[in-house]
Amino acid sequence: MEELCGVGAAAPLRGDVEEPKQGSVLFLGGNEVKSSAVVKYSSAPPQAAFARLQEKTDLKLPPANWLRESAKLGPAGTTILGNNKKSKPFSSFGMAYDFIDSVGNDVDVVSDSENIKKLLKIPYSKSHVSMAVHRIGRTLLLDELDIQELFMRSSQTGDWTWLKEFYQRLIDQKWQRKKKSKEHWYQKAILSKFLYYSINGDGAAQPVPSTSKQHQEGPVSGESDEAGRASWPAPFEMPSSLSEDPGASNQGGVPLEPSYIVGHVASAPKEQNLTTLFNDGENSQGLKNDFVRNILWTFEDIHMLVGSNMPIFGGGRYPAVSLRLRDNNKPINVLTGIDYWLDNLICNVPELVMCFHVNGIVQKYEMIKTEDIPNLENSNFSTKVIKDIAQNILSFLKSNCTKEGHTYWLFKASGSDIVKLYDLTTLCEETEDKYQNPFTMPVAILLYKVACNMMLKKNQNKKHYGTIRTLLLNCLKLLDNGRHPQIIASANYMLSELFQLDEPKKEDSTDFPINGNSDESYSEEEEEMPDSDENGSYSNSSDPPDDNKAVAIIKSVGELSVPEKYKSVHRIRPSCAFPVCHGTEERCRLVLSYVLEGLKSLDSSVKKEGDLPAADPSTPIPLKYEDESTSGGPECLEKQMALFLDKMGSFQKGKHSSQSGMIPGSWQYKMKLQLILKSSKAYYVLSDAAMILQKYGRALRYIKLALQCHDTYCCLCANMLPEVLVFLCQCLTLCGDIQLMLAQNANNRAAYLEEYNYQTKEDQEILHSLHRESRCQVFAWATDLSTDLECQLSISCKCYEAAYEILLFSNLKNQNPEQHIQVLKRMGNIRNEIGVFYMNQAAAVQTERVGNKNVSTTEQQLWKKSFSCFEEGIQNFESIDDATNAALLLCNTGRLMRICAQAHCATESDFKREFSPEEALYYNKAIDYYLKALRSLGKRDVHPAVWDSVNWELSTTYFTMATLQQDYAPLSRKAQEQIEKEVSEAMMKSLKYCDVDTVSARQPLCQYRAATIHHRLASMYHSCLRNQVGDEHLRKQHRVLADLHYSKAVRLFQLLKDAPCEFLRVQLERVAFAEFQMASQNSSAGKLKTLFGALDIMVKTKGAFQLIRKELVAESEQISQDKSSAENMSPNDSSTGLNREEVLKLLSIFESRMSFLLLQSIKLLTSTKKKIGGINEEEVVLKTNKQVYSLLLRATANKSMTLLERIEVILNLLEQLTQTSEAGNGGIQ
């Protein structure tokens, strides 16, 4: 980027945004003023030195090159005579379109340099000022509003009559067109000839054909009039591209490229080619930026984008000079001095060359430095005052031109000191159609373009969301749906894009300031506020009655010279901030409201073709509801899925068309695709949010709408983009999740059905727009609310399968690994659910089967279905290396095998029943699956809970199999020894997988299981010992094993505080085992030893009896309470209390065995005493035993004793035996 002193160098293309360089600070006449200028664009050729004319050159004679197009002069040479750029009313818009980045944000003013100069000269000049002012963000656009030309047009066309009447009523009652004097045209002509001489180079006048003279004298004024008339557009008509004819829509309009469609309106403003909205009428609208150069001028703290056509020449001591022609007889006045000074400042030209003439005859040249211009004789002015004027005018305009989209009129009558500001938009709306204001459309387009440009950077500048929204809402206020459907649809789409559906809301963060305090946040509906300035300079309250239409008034132009007389009081309202959405639903609903407005606008611009019935938004579209009687179940689903996938495949061929008659490639077609996709995403997010809230009926309704939107998108779109297919997978996956949750919460079905059938008016209207393009039935199979559990599970599974198929056939699997894994995980999960469903059904059928010993075909079918589901689910989990879930499914398959085994158990009476080979087969299969599950996990650390669960199930299977073999021994097929061996092996394996040491919730269960296994093994070896004859070695082995397992069983039962009966039973079996051993003993000492060992076992049951007593006491206390309390507690008693029958049975056995042992001990001790003589210890034992035996006999004889009393007696007797056992031990030894 070069500063303007290097004008001739290659300048950047228009539209390039460059950072301005700081210009130098100029010290002018003791007054300091800061000014810098940066060329943003220049079409001027490399500058050439000007030709210094010879003295006495007659400027009245035209040079040979006069009025020929000249690159050196640019438009300056010809426009001096004709229509100067300053009279074009839309010049600022042309610049704004080209430098859209600067508008609304960085730049305070965009205008022609002539308008800037006119404003800054207001306090010095008596001439009238008439300008149109528009606000876009913090930027003001200034354009000359030539009242004379405007009213000339009004007289001819009848337009603008309301403004003409208003002007005549309030400002100038006797308005008439003022013609410019001959002197004016004479001065113009010689200036033009002077410039052409200066570039001609030979300095001599050359004769020209006579036609030139005619051109000079006559047509000049006519040309000007014609040009003046042409510069004003008619009130904006609808361009042909936006006509109702769909055929025309293909040529004009906003060509929404794929990058724009798929992204977030993501293409540069130039690429969007938005100016084509004006088509060929653009130039006549005056919307072209045809300045020779556009300059970013910073004057003090004011940033301005200025257009200038001033010719700049090289030569002299400086690389750039401006060239001026002056009449020597007329001194330079202040206005001319300010003009020259500002022109040079704006273009950063350091020197001025002045040529003096008398009556057109060149006299002399003079060079003046730019900083010396304010000090010229007769044209002294203070640069500081000019700075104050600039700041005051900007503050005045910013404070009062507050409404975006409104056209304000800054007017000062000729010779008047009062400056008034009117809101023409409000005046126009009071009288006529707002489209009578020709500024309406260019302003709307500019608002739209600025918003587009900010959208490009929206990801970096989320704080601008409120600003973008305000721009678009103000743009929409200016537009008429019938005339501008395209911009309305596009603006609504952009509004919907501001709300991020796929992110957590960030309204509370600093990205969304609720109260902005910078000038770039502004209210869409600003009301004028009383001036807070203490002077009240433009307070409306003191206006004279005839000025009550003015927004604000400067009562005297002299006020503008007072430093900081006007301060900007434009306050920022909270309403301009981005709206805070309280929750996802509100955000999505806002998005859908914008989408609906866009669709309405778009649909209205498409001619209805064929017999498409007009949809009535008040009539709800029925949401199909099928019960299980009408839906064809899983088989019907298969067909629908096949049709759906077939259709998905056909999307690749691109044979799709719109039912409404939209032409593929037209703006309507492209925009509708985007709006539909946006609505689909909004409904998806709503569905997901409802799912989290467990509102499954609502979630299904929303996902149905999302898929209907997607169906329409698919009908219209020839080539499905990968992102869209991935989104479809997400929709189907969510639909599968919802159907699964509905299946798992069947008890709330009525509430879900009510939620599902509810419809808002907005949803109905969006559906009507969708039905213009398609029937929206492709996904009906996935979104119907069924009442059948199996059907819901099948639909869920099909949804996941469809999502998986899409990922497969579109080759998106590798690009979206996360999505792929999620779908496979869900497929594995739903297949597990369905497998469990069929397995439970099979178990139910098995339970109901009475009398018929054969397995039914129904059961076998259910097993097959269940097994098939588990197998597929295992494959799904294994394909994504999910060992934990694969293990769980293998575990469930093991459970299925156990159910199969249970189904094959014979139904004869328990005496005849044997453990069948089928049972053995299925139990072994179950064991295989459990072992596979353990291998899948590898080690406990992978997932301790699952590992423990599989171990427990495996232990249970071995235990069940061993128990059945033990209880229903298959003696008809196997030898007793073989059965015992198999039982022993199975029990030991069950023990292996039963973890008694790890502390967990399952630990007591494991301890009980292990104790039971040891008890059963001990009983088995005890039984073998009783029944075996012969092989002494084997008998000894069985004796040792029985003793070992009894000891282990006792130890484990002692750890458990809730199994006193089991402990008692084991101890009684040990006593019986001792009795059995004693029977085979011959010596008295040996028998006595065994007897005392048995009595010792009896004594050790004291803990169990204490537990039983504790529970009986608690029970009796409950019974003694009042009836209501007893009723409340009784269910708990039965569940956790003792089995009294069992206790009574065991107590009777205990009393009889204790009685027998005591009697035998008394007999043996008495006989040994007679033989050997008295031994003190034995006497004590004998005495105690006799006493205990006596008490026991009395207690058993008393039939009236309660259970609790009998327990108390036993405990008392055991206590006596305990006390003497140590004393007796010596004698026994």
Side-chain angles (χ1 to χ4, degrees), residues 1079-1111:
S1080 61
Q1081 286 174 326
N1082 297 320
S1083 69
S1084 295
K1087 282 187 175 182
L1088 205 55
K1089 186 179 177 183
T1090 307
L1091 264 174
F1092 278 109
L1095 277 170
D1096 191 44
I1097 290 168
M1098 286 277 192
V1099 169
K1100 284 179 181 170
T1101 58
K1102 190 167 72 172
F1105 280 114
Q1106 282 170 339
L1107 280 171
I1108 293 169
R1109 181 182 63 182
K1110 189 180 172 185
E1111 293 202 28

XYZ file of all heavy atoms in Angstrom, residues 1079-1111:
248
model
N -18.546 -96.242 65.650
C -19.140 -97.585 65.523
C -18.097 -98.622 65.107
O -18.203 -99.805 65.438
C -20.279 -97.542 64.516
N -17.092 -98.139 64.322
C -16.072 -99.088 63.847
C -14.892 -99.200 64.817
O -13.932 -99.906 64.559
C -15.568 -98.641 62.467
O -14.981 -97.357 62.551
N -14.971 -98.451 65.956
C -13.855 -98.482 66.921
C -14.137 -99.531 68.003
O -15.282 -99.743 68.406
C -13.685 -97.097 67.567
C -13.054 -96.083 66.611
C -13.026 -94.682 67.202
O -13.949 -94.320 67.941
N -11.992 -93.931 66.896
N -13.052 -100.151 68.478
C -13.202 -101.231 69.472
C -12.765 -100.793 70.867
O -13.403 -101.120 71.864
C -12.379 -102.466 69.041
C -12.904 -103.017 67.716
O -14.116 -103.054 67.505
N -12.008 -103.451 66.837
N -11.700 -100.008 70.942
C -11.175 -99.664 72.275
C -12.015 -98.577 72.917
O -12.525 -97.684 72.236
C -9.730 -99.191 72.164
O -9.682 -97.937 71.517
N -12.144 -98.674 74.241
C -12.914 -97.693 74.988
C -12.292 -96.303 74.886
O -12.980 -95.285 74.742
C -13.008 -98.081 76.467
O -13.727 -99.277 76.602
N -10.960 -96.258 74.986
C -10.253 -94.969 74.922
C -10.522 -94.280 73.585
O -10.773 -93.074 73.516
C -8.769 -95.179 75.107
N -10.430 -95.062 72.488
C -10.675 -94.513 71.147
C -12.088 -93.990 71.025
O -12.340 -92.889 70.519
N -13.062 -94.826 71.546
C -14.457 -94.405 71.481
C -14.686 -93.142 72.296
O -15.380 -92.214 71.869
C -15.352 -95.529 72.015
C -15.580 -96.667 71.015
C -16.612 -97.651 71.548
C -16.904 -98.701 70.461
N -17.939 -99.651 70.892
N -14.047 -93.118 73.512
C -14.215 -91.961 74.378
C -13.672 -90.680 73.723
O -14.290 -89.619 73.778
C -13.482 -92.223 75.711
C -13.996 -91.457 76.930
C -15.483 -91.690 77.141
C -13.215 -91.874 78.166
N -12.556 -90.852 73.072
C -11.947 -89.711 72.374
C -12.874 -89.182 71.282
O -13.089 -87.972 71.135
C -10.600 -90.143 71.780
C -9.820 -89.002 71.164
C -8.488 -89.485 70.629
C -7.744 -88.372 69.944
N -6.493 -88.823 69.364
N -13.418 -90.126 70.486
C -14.327 -89.732 69.399
C -15.571 -89.075 69.980
O -16.076 -88.076 69.454
C -14.722 -90.965 68.560
O -13.537 -91.635 68.142
C -15.529 -90.553 67.346
N -16.080 -89.663 71.130
C -17.263 -89.105 71.779
C -17.043 -87.660 72.222
O -17.883 -86.787 72.004
C -17.632 -89.950 73.001
C -18.702 -91.024 72.807
C -18.840 -91.853 74.068
C -20.055 -90.405 72.452
N -15.902 -87.451 72.889
C -15.611 -86.089 73.333
C -15.440 -85.117 72.147
O -15.798 -83.950 72.231
C -14.377 -86.074 74.237
C -14.727 -86.447 75.658
C -14.330 -87.659 76.209
C -15.463 -85.569 76.445
C -14.668 -87.989 77.514
C -15.787 -85.913 77.761
C -15.397 -87.134 78.301
N -14.857 -85.650 71.049
C -14.732 -84.835 69.818
C -16.105 -84.430 69.309
O -16.338 -83.268 68.923
N -17.062 -85.384 69.315
C -18.415 -85.110 68.851
C -19.105 -84.106 69.764
O -19.793 -83.180 69.315
C -19.212 -86.404 68.784
N -18.919 -84.300 71.130
C -19.519 -83.350 72.067
C -18.932 -81.940 71.889
O -19.642 -80.934 72.044
C -19.307 -83.833 73.499
C -20.323 -84.869 74.004
C -19.872 -85.464 75.327
C -21.709 -84.251 74.155
N -17.657 -81.916 71.584
C -16.994 -80.618 71.331
C -17.635 -79.915 70.130
O -17.836 -78.702 70.134
C -15.497 -80.846 71.101
C -14.730 -79.545 71.108
O -15.005 -78.699 71.991
O -13.877 -79.345 70.222
N -17.955 -80.711 69.068
C -18.645 -80.150 67.885
C -19.990 -79.576 68.324
O -20.385 -78.486 67.900
C -18.831 -81.248 66.803
C -17.475 -81.625 66.187
C -19.786 -80.768 65.718
C -17.502 -82.877 65.329
N -20.705 -80.344 69.210
C -21.988 -79.880 69.725
C -21.840 -78.527 70.441
O -22.633 -77.613 70.254
C -22.550 -80.905 70.728
C -23.090 -82.172 70.064
S -24.749 -81.866 69.496
C -25.328 -83.504 69.112
N -20.805 -78.455 71.292
C -20.565 -77.228 72.058
C -20.348 -76.037 71.128
O -20.809 -74.918 71.403
C -19.361 -77.423 73.010
C -18.927 -76.086 73.614
C -19.719 -78.410 74.119
N -19.642 -76.278 70.005
C -19.309 -75.183 69.073
C -20.533 -74.652 68.312
O -20.422 -73.670 67.578
C -18.246 -75.651 68.083
C -16.874 -75.696 68.725
C -15.832 -76.180 67.764
C -14.444 -76.232 68.438
N -13.458 -76.915 67.606
N -21.675 -75.307 68.469
C -22.884 -74.792 67.790
C -23.536 -73.685 68.608
O -24.580 -73.159 68.222
C -23.926 -75.930 67.587
O -24.250 -76.470 68.869
C -23.394 -77.006 66.685
N -22.934 -73.362 69.746
C -23.515 -72.355 70.632
C -23.787 -71.037 69.884
O -24.840 -70.423 70.044
C -22.568 -72.116 71.822
C -23.196 -71.259 72.920
C -22.376 -71.303 74.207
C -21.079 -70.533 74.042
N -20.355 -70.386 75.313
N -22.813 -70.602 69.053
C -22.965 -69.343 68.293
C -24.202 -69.362 67.419
O -24.932 -68.363 67.320
N -24.474 -70.526 66.752
C -25.638 -70.634 65.875
C -26.926 -70.500 66.682
O -27.868 -69.803 66.284
C -25.609 -71.966 65.134
N -26.969 -71.174 67.874
C -28.177 -71.092 68.694
C -28.398 -69.679 69.235
O -29.528 -69.220 69.382
C -28.097 -72.094 69.855
C -28.436 -73.511 69.438
C -27.488 -74.524 69.469
C -29.724 -73.815 68.990
C -27.812 -75.813 69.066
C -30.041 -75.107 68.586
C -29.086 -76.120 68.627
N -27.280 -68.984 69.507
C -27.414 -67.596 69.959
C -28.043 -66.722 68.865
O -28.889 -65.862 69.150
C -26.037 -67.033 70.361
C -25.579 -67.517 71.728
C -24.115 -67.165 72.007
O -23.339 -66.923 71.083
N -23.743 -67.171 73.280
N -27.618 -66.930 67.589
C -28.206 -66.194 66.453
C -29.696 -66.498 66.328
O -30.516 -65.602 66.102
C -27.490 -66.560 65.140
C -26.151 -65.875 64.854
C -25.473 -66.507 63.652
C -26.356 -64.383 64.585
N -30.031 -67.813 66.475
C -31.440 -68.209 66.366
C -32.247 -67.559 67.485
O -33.336 -67.025 67.250
C -31.570 -69.753 66.395
C -30.948 -70.359 65.125
C -33.034 -70.176 66.529
C -30.777 -71.862 65.151
N -31.694 -67.579 68.715
C -32.399 -66.968 69.844
C -32.638 -65.475 69.594
O -33.729 -64.954 69.842
C -31.576 -67.150 71.134
C -32.290 -66.549 72.365
C -31.467 -66.680 73.620
N -30.220 -65.922 73.515
C -29.294 -65.906 74.479
N -29.448 -66.632 75.576
N -28.199 -65.209 74.336
N -31.597 -64.784 69.073
C -31.689 -63.345 68.796
C -32.842 -63.043 67.833
O -33.636 -62.124 68.048
C -30.362 -62.857 68.198
C -30.245 -61.353 68.066
C -28.894 -60.989 67.472
C -28.807 -59.527 67.146
N -27.555 -59.191 66.473
N -32.928 -63.857 66.795
C -33.989 -63.634 65.801
C -35.355 -63.962 66.380
O -36.347 -63.280 66.086
C -33.723 -64.463 64.540
C -32.491 -63.986 63.786
C -32.486 -64.385 62.317
O -33.585 -64.536 61.750
O -31.402 -64.553 61.769
